[in-house]
Amino acid sequence: MPLARWSCPELAREAVARGIAALVSASTVRRWLVQDALKPWQHRSWIFITDPGFRPKAAHVLDLYARTWQGEHLSDDEYVISADEKTSIQACCRCHRTLAPGKARAMRVNHSYGRGGALAYLAAYDVRRAQVFGRTEARTGIVPFMNLVTQVMSTEPYASAKRVFWIVDNGSSHRGQKAAARLAAAFPNAVMVHTPVHASWLSQIEIYFSSVQRKVVSPNDFPDLTEVRNRLRAFEDRYNATAQPFQWKFTTSDLDDLLARLDRHTADHHEESSVTLAA
């Protein structure tokens, strides 16, 4: 069928056309689907693991969350920072004033807007102290990222810490051994730790960024970039005043279970493909 997504009336008509049911209404199909696990209007995207070093890289990150590194427990003067950039936050100036929600009425945001520019929000999150250090830049890149690093590492307790581990993904601002060497040259007590490729979900800063997206950016209604900067700074202060460390529960044991399931899935897929080709 030339349908990427089915509606209940279409499902009802198809069931009758195929002789599955003599007669069935769209409302009945809707009621069945509400009660059933099958949700044909939903989908989830996924990606195969392509990083050959996925397991050891992921384990390093998870060990740091458990406050261990290379089999040894971290001391009190060692810190773990998760950092990244949230790119292209636009200032969308709505052509008509946003209307606050009222009785039996949702907030109304005008569809038309003028573009007031865009900026990048860089943030570093101390996973044990639950503190965020953020800054806005005109764009992302090596220099803006190192500005964030300097902002953190020039303050206590990080300036005099034994070691400060920086967990980052593989974005161009901090990719590879050159970035790790650049960080260590600028701050000898800093250690860069990369997540595996396509595994930014292992970085706790992404949890904070999801809050920024939901509570600050959406719906996007800012007269200019100054208002965006002020809102981000105010939210950061508000967050730090009451924040508690994330209850991170995904461990290396969970990682091994996940990889084992993926291996079984891959093996089954290859077996099915071989059977199909043979047929």
Side-chain angles (χ1 to χ4, degrees):
M1 299 296 294
L3 295 171
R5 177 171 172 165
W6 291 76
S7 68
C8 289
E10 287 166 337
L11 285 168
R13 286 195 298 269
E14 188 68 15
V16 173
R18 294 190 186 189
I20 298 172
L23 184 65
V24 63
S25 68
S27 60
T28 298
V29 172
R30 185 176 296 107
R31 186 175 69 253
W32 287 344
L33 291 176
V34 167
Q35 298 170 352
D36 199 82
L38 183 65
K39 308 295 181 187
W41 58 89
Q42 296 180 353
H43 77 276
R44 295 179 63 184
S45 61
W46 56 277
I47 186 171
F48 273 119
I49 291 174
T50 57
D51 191 330
F54 187 95
R55 202 283 174 187
K57 291 178 182 178
H60 283 325
V61 174
L62 297 175
D63 285 345
L64 285 173
Y65 292 158
R67 297 203 54 76
T68 62
W69 178 251
Q70 297 179 343
E72 297 183 1
H73 288 285
L74 299 185
S75 60
D76 289 341
D77 64 342
E78 293 181 293
Y79 298 87
V80 179
I81 300 289
S82 174
D84 202 2
E85 306 101 339
K86 186 172 177 60
T87 61
S88 191
I89 301 178
Q90 296 187 53
C92 296
C93 181
R94 303 293 168 173
C95 296
H96 296 278
R97 177 173 67 88
T98 294
L99 299 178
K103 185 177 180 180
R105 187 191 71 204
M107 177 189 295
R108 295 182 179 179
V109 182
N110 184 247
H111 178 74
S112 301
Y113 60 87
R115 297 183 183 275
L119 54 75
Y121 179 47
L122 290 75
Y125 175 74
D126 186 321
V127 303
R128 182 176 60 163
R129 300 173 68 218
Q131 292 294 290
V132 174
F133 304 85
R135 64 183 300 113
T136 56
E137 297 275 1
R139 59 184 60 85
T140 60
I142 294 174
V143 172
F145 178 74
M146 290 306 296
N147 288 342
L148 174 68
V149 172
T150 302
Q151 177 182 334
V152 176
M153 296 299 295
S154 60
T155 62
E156 295 296 347
Y158 312 103
S160 58
K162 179 181 177 181
R163 283 185 298 189
V164 181
F165 295 91
W166 283 75
I167 297 173
V168 296
D169 62 15
N170 296 274
S172 59
S173 303
H174 35 69
R175 179 187 300 151
Q177 290 304 310
K178 286 186 178 180
R182 184 166 52 246
L183 177 67
F187 300 96
N189 63 335
V191 180
M192 183 172 285
V193 180
H194 289 95
T195 63
V197 176
H198 300 314
S200 295
W201 54 272
L202 284 169
S203 188
Q204 291 193 20
I205 191 63
E206 300 299 338
I207 304 175
Y208 172 73
F209 279 157
S210 70
S211 293
V212 170
Q213 181 64 37
R214 289 181 287 108
K215 298 183 177 183
V216 180
V217 178
S218 300
N220 190 318
D221 184 9
F222 300 102
D224 50 43
L225 289 180
T226 298
E227 181 63 24
V228 178
R229 294 187 184 95
N230 291 343
R231 182 77 65 84
L232 288 168
R233 188 177 301 111
F235 177 77
E236 190 178 305
D237 292 340
R238 177 186 176 91
Y239 183 90
N240 285 335
T242 59
Q244 297 293 323
F246 298 129
Q247 298 300 306
W248 188 270
K249 298 181 180 180
F250 192 82
T251 66
T252 52
S253 295
D254 298 318
L255 173 65
D256 289 336
D257 291 341
L258 172 63
L259 294 178
R261 292 198 305 272
L262 291 175
D263 284 342
R264 289 194 296 271
H265 174 79
T266 304
D268 292 342
H269 175 73
H270 287 163
E271 183 177 345
E272 290 175 1
S273 297
S274 299
V275 171
T276 302
L277 290 173

